[in-house]
Amino acid sequence: MARLLVLRSAPYHRSSLSAAVSSRSASFPRLARRHLPSPLRVPVRAVESSSGATKQGEEAPLAAGEAQEPLPTAPAFVVEELGWGTQLAVKLKMLVAPPWKRVRKGSVLTMTLRGEISDQLKTRFSSGLSLPQICENFEKAAYDPRISGIYLHIEPLSCGWGKAEEIRRHIVDFKKSGKFVVGYMPVGGEKEYYLASACAELYAPPSAYVALYGLTIQQTFLRGVLEKVGVQPEIQRIGRYKSAGDQLGRKSMSNEVKEMLGALLDNIYGNWLDTVSSTQGKKKEEIEEFVNSGVYQVEKLKEEGWITDLLYDDQVMTMLKERVGQNDKKSLRTVDYSKYSGVRKSTLGIGGGGDLIAVIRASGSITRTRSGLSISSSGIIAEQLIKKIRTVRESDKYKAVILRIDSPGGDALASDLMWREIRLLADSKPVIASMSDVAASGGYYMAMAAPVIVAEKLTLTGSIGVVTGKFILQKLYERIDFHKEILSRGRYAELNAADQRPLRPDEAELFEKSAQNAYASFRDKAAMSRSMSIDQMENFAQGRVWSGQDAASRGLVDSLGGFSQALAIAKQRAKIPQDKKVRLVEISKASPTLPEILSGIGGSILGVDRVVKGVLQDVTSLNGVQARMDGILFERLENMPGENQLFLLVKEITNYFG
């Protein structure tokens, strides 16, 4: 079995809980530009990040430079008064709009926030929700004279804290338009309540299941199971906090991982308590006491002011009919998320101005090339992203670039090649990296190529560390009477091939040295990219995953906020006035592939099970070494039947080391 070097992020906490994420910024000196070094070769294959760093004495592409003005801060969006000319143009555009794009006056925008939320734009054949489209719908609805308000259905979410904060920020800013935003939550926990509490009113049915019990982080360990079947994992974990590989190599959490996860837990829970207490006008201690009392009756939530009232969905819609002045016997006039996503901002008079800013989105696991059946939205395909980066770099029409990252990492070579291209891009125009839920290991590798990094307060980032491993199957082979012989030439030729015997001492030494070298390369390149000494970076590396706010205080991130914050900084660096409109050009806009079209048809007409669609996406995107951040498996398993959980668990184990 081939050896594989893994640069993984720490476990993604499995929970239905949420976090309060407020925005603050911390600025660092801008990185000056120098000559770029030649591309670095990465001699190992890795997952969830890339290796390779500048050699000793090699000049850094971007070193610390002169101090710059403080980084600006920005809300999600600001509703401004449109001029009479613009208002007239909007009315004319609405009159000539085709029937399938028309929205009746007095309509209520309805959106159901449930399940997975992608950071990519979706095509009409795609299933699921898109964060940029959700956020844009809030902004459009704030300006749209046909929309009286928003009715949000909030149900169990599979997104992380970064996306939750971005959506919550848009809910808060939408309320400033003077229009209503009403929430309805039949099922939910802390994460769902975190969003719902931002609504002006929140309703739940009398039979609602709202569990506000606290936050947990879970890890599972398979070392004992593997030993029983005769499989011995050979793990070299470089970085005291690197938890990748622990699922296979350990039977319990290490003290360092407990420390790291405990700090993340404190960040999330503390921020959630802060936001909920601020929203309700109560002390933090009162909110914590209420949670610790173990409330399970939805009536108690109403009594204590956590929700507005107990009403069924039809009752809420009847109430909204009266609010918008709809007196007929028909159902509430609504426009849903899907249809409203097709309304263009330019139709409402809020399109961009003359200056163009490119938006490059990078979501999912990183691979170098794309297989013939890959779904376009299945991950980051380096060769495709590099083409887009070069197109933007070679064009003079783009004044700046926002690199939006939502990735736990991936192939080492792919990450390094993209790092190189992003550095070249940053040498020609301002590049701002904007992190979503996670930008760790390979995701952070991409981000650190940009001179400025923006993260949400609870983005998972960092994870600068490696783990290398292979399976020794000697005992398993003996049990099933399986025999394997290898002919080889070269002292270490069998290092990657021989799984029927333990490593020799000299092989084990080389095995460890290879991992140590990869860690040093990753750490050194991170130090160079963030203008730190190696000793400074060593304090923040060691495989540790940081929250965005902790990363900012340590210089791994420059500013806290969402996409709008990154846009404000991009304007500043491009010398564009903050009050001047710009046009955002989506470079990574998806085009539907045949598997995606078939998957969309199957999901809408045949009711294909989400697990089958997930496996289709996994299988069609495989090309070389693949893996995900530890724990994403269990995030996906939460709402699946037992047999599907077992299927995915077996699939994860068999694919873990390639």
Side-chain angles (χ1 to χ4, degrees), residues 172 264 400:
V172 171
L264 291 172

Side-chain angles (χ1 to χ4, degrees), residues 236 238 468 503 507-518:
Q236 284 290 340
I238 311 300
T468 182
L503 294 175
E507 290 175 325
E509 181 180 3
L510 181 62
F511 197 56
E512 180 180 359
K513 286 182 178 179
S514 175
Q516 291 283 1
N517 180 68

Side-chain angles (χ1 to χ4, degrees), residues 75-188:
F77 64 92
V78 178
V79 180
E80 300 174 344
E81 185 79 25
L82 298 179
W84 68 268
T86 302
Q87 293 182 38
L88 179 60
V90 168
K91 291 179 180 179
L92 291 174
K93 288 180 181 179
M94 290 178 178
L95 285 174
V96 300
W100 58 88
K101 285 193 174 183
R102 291 181 184 175
V103 178
R104 294 184 64 186
K105 188 172 179 59
S107 294
V108 175
L109 171 61
T110 61
M111 293 192 287
T112 299
L113 304 181
R114 175 176 58 209
E116 296 180 5
I117 299 177
S118 171
D119 208 73
Q120 293 278 27
L121 291 172
K122 294 281 189 177
T123 69
R124 60 178 176 174
F125 298 103
S126 305
S127 59
L129 299 169
S130 164
L131 179 67
Q133 288 166 339
I134 290 171
C135 295
E136 186 176 273
N137 280 353
F138 276 104
E139 184 177 359
K140 290 185 299 187
Y143 279 94
D144 196 333
R146 303 166 298 180
I147 299 296
S148 298
I150 296 179
Y151 184 30
L152 290 180
H153 274 236
I154 301 172
E155 299 192 24
L157 297 164
S158 297
C159 68
W161 315 118
K163 292 190 183 77
E165 172 60 17
E166 187 81 80
I167 296 172
R168 193 180 199 280
R169 187 182 295 117
H170 278 76
I171 295 174
V172 171
D173 286 346
F174 175 82
K175 291 192 296 184
K176 298 174 184 177
S177 69
K179 299 181 180 182
F180 66 80
V181 54
V182 172
Y184 182 76
M185 186 173 65
V187 180

